[in-house]
Amino acid sequence: MKNSCIKVQCPAKINLTLKVLDKREDGFHNIESIMQTIDLFDYLTITLTGALHTEIILKGNSPDIPYDETNLVYKAAKLFLDECNLSGYKIDVYIEKNIPVCAGLAGGSTDAAGMIYGLNKLFEDCLSENELHKLCAKLGSDLNVCLKGGCLLAKGRGEIIEPQEFKSFKVNLVKPLSLGISAKEAYMKFSNKKEKNISTELRKNFANDLEWAVIEDYPQLQSIKNNYPSSVMTGSGSAYYSLKEEFEPSDGYWVKNGLKSINKGVSLIEKYRIQ
């Protein structure tokens, strides 16, 4: 427990389908989406030591995320400690980012799910799997998918999950380096298009309603779709995946070919005590 270290593997996800339904009273939209975890991972190294006062310190290798209380990993650690009524611990977290940010790949969500999972392992599984899922649901829409992993039908705002038959397949990814799209932006554009009845006849051509919502605003996305017609935007973008063809390396684009679907979520790599 005290003076222990753990390393957690946190997978990205893709949306094989994403249908946006009605808007909820809390401002989110209800969705139905088949999500699949893939073997593109962030890694969390979490070190737990005793301290007079609770302290959460974040560090990492990416210049694209904040290392303060606004980070979802920080919020996840605080939520776990509060839920378990734990105090007097220093938690050092090193975040190794390999999943692009603002890509629709759940990079922030999977790290937060990994934080909750990792702390639970450090505290000897003090919460049940069901209790972990309840914590994840409080923090965000994709955490439950990343915690469970595999192929899942996600409902509600994404926190209600139903396991689906797992199939093994290859996944190729591409993302414009200079373009990130927040979920808030994508859903606002979806609502605007739907309310104004813009291009609604084209919506049925997209497996992802959010791709329909944003593609007309971004030439980079149009270029990907034109060059790779079978590709699909994942989540709120701006990453695309293809299950059929590899993406050619190109200036201004991050490309990752040869990934595959996996039948697991966040998982333990190693745990050890420290002096």
Side-chain angles (χ1 to χ4, degrees):
M1 193 179 295
K2 284 187 179 180
N3 301 331
S4 297
C5 186
I6 196 169
K7 190 169 184 179
V8 179
Q9 182 174 262
C10 308
K13 63 83 185 165
I14 58 173
N15 297 75
L16 298 177
T17 65
L18 175 52
K19 295 303 173 186
V20 182
L21 309 178
D22 55 307
K23 195 168 186 178
R24 300 151 50 108
E25 290 184 359
D26 60 9
F28 290 94
H29 285 79
N30 285 310
I31 66 166
E32 285 189 357
S33 177
I34 297 177
M35 303 191 197
Q36 172 65 59
T37 48
I38 60 175
D39 64 345
L40 174 64
F41 304 106
D42 285 349
Y43 296 92
L44 300 185
T45 302
I46 307 166
T47 304
L48 180 71
T49 54
L52 292 176
H53 305 286
T54 299
E55 191 175 9
I56 303 167
I57 300 173
L58 305 185
K59 297 177 182 178
N61 68 331
S62 172
D64 300 322
I65 62 172
Y67 296 100
D68 57 26
E69 64 277 1
T70 64
N71 191 303
L72 208 55
V73 170
Y74 186 102
K75 294 178 181 179
K78 188 175 187 309
L79 181 64
F80 182 92
L81 295 176
D82 290 346
E83 178 72 17
C84 297
N85 196 27
L86 296 167
S87 60
Y89 294 97
K90 180 183 178 185
I91 300 172
D92 287 284
V93 188
Y94 186 86
I95 306 170
E96 180 189 327
K97 289 294 295 180
N98 299 298
I99 304 170
V101 301
C102 291
L105 294 166
S109 295
T110 196
D111 292 349
M115 187 70 202
I116 289 173
Y117 171 88
L119 284 177
N120 198 50
K121 290 298 179 187
L122 285 169
F123 286 100
E124 309 300 334
D125 293 312
C126 58
L127 297 181
S128 68
E129 183 178 357
N130 186 54
E131 288 170 325
L132 293 180
H133 275 288
K134 287 182 178 178
L135 284 190
C136 284
K138 290 181 180 179
L139 275 179
S141 300
D142 294 332
L143 274 75
N144 299 85
V145 167
C146 297
L147 180 67
K148 180 70 174 177
C151 186
L152 300 158
L153 172 62
K155 297 181 178 180
R157 56 178 173 79
E159 83 285 8
I160 303 168
I161 55 174
E162 300 175 7
Q164 306 293 295
E165 179 185 0
F166 172 73
K167 296 178 181 178
S168 180
F169 52 83
K170 291 184 178 180
V171 180
N172 305 303
L173 296 175
V174 64
K175 179 191 179 297
L177 289 172
S178 61
L179 177 61
I181 303 174
S182 69
K184 182 179 179 181
E185 175 189 350
Y187 279 98
M188 284 181 63
K189 288 184 174 179
F190 172 85
S191 294
N192 184 56
K193 264 191 169 181
K194 187 178 178 183
E195 289 169 6
K196 294 184 178 180
N197 205 29
I198 301 172
S199 301
T200 51
E201 73 280 359
L202 298 177
R203 182 179 167 188
K204 64 180 183 296
N205 298 330
F206 292 89
N208 179 353
D209 279 345
L210 296 182
E211 181 182 356
W212 166 76
V214 302
I215 191 169
E216 292 179 346
D217 294 331
Y218 295 108
Q220 300 102 310
L221 304 188
Q222 295 165 29
S223 176
I224 293 172
K225 196 72 170 182
N226 290 336
N227 289 322
Y228 304 93
S230 68
S231 65
V232 178
M233 193 180 83
T234 178
S236 57
S238 59
Y240 273 67
Y241 67 86
S242 175
L243 309 183
K244 297 181 178 180
E245 52 190 340
E246 293 191 350
F247 296 105
E248 292 294 329
S250 178
D251 288 343
Y253 291 85
W254 172 88
V255 172
K256 190 78 172 178
N257 292 314
L259 298 168
K260 61 181 184 294
S261 60
I262 56 172
N263 200 19
K264 64 179 180 179
V266 297
S267 58
L268 174 67
I269 294 182
E270 59 180 331
K271 178 183 177 183
Y272 53 90
R273 294 192 62 83
I274 56 176
Q275 300 298 321

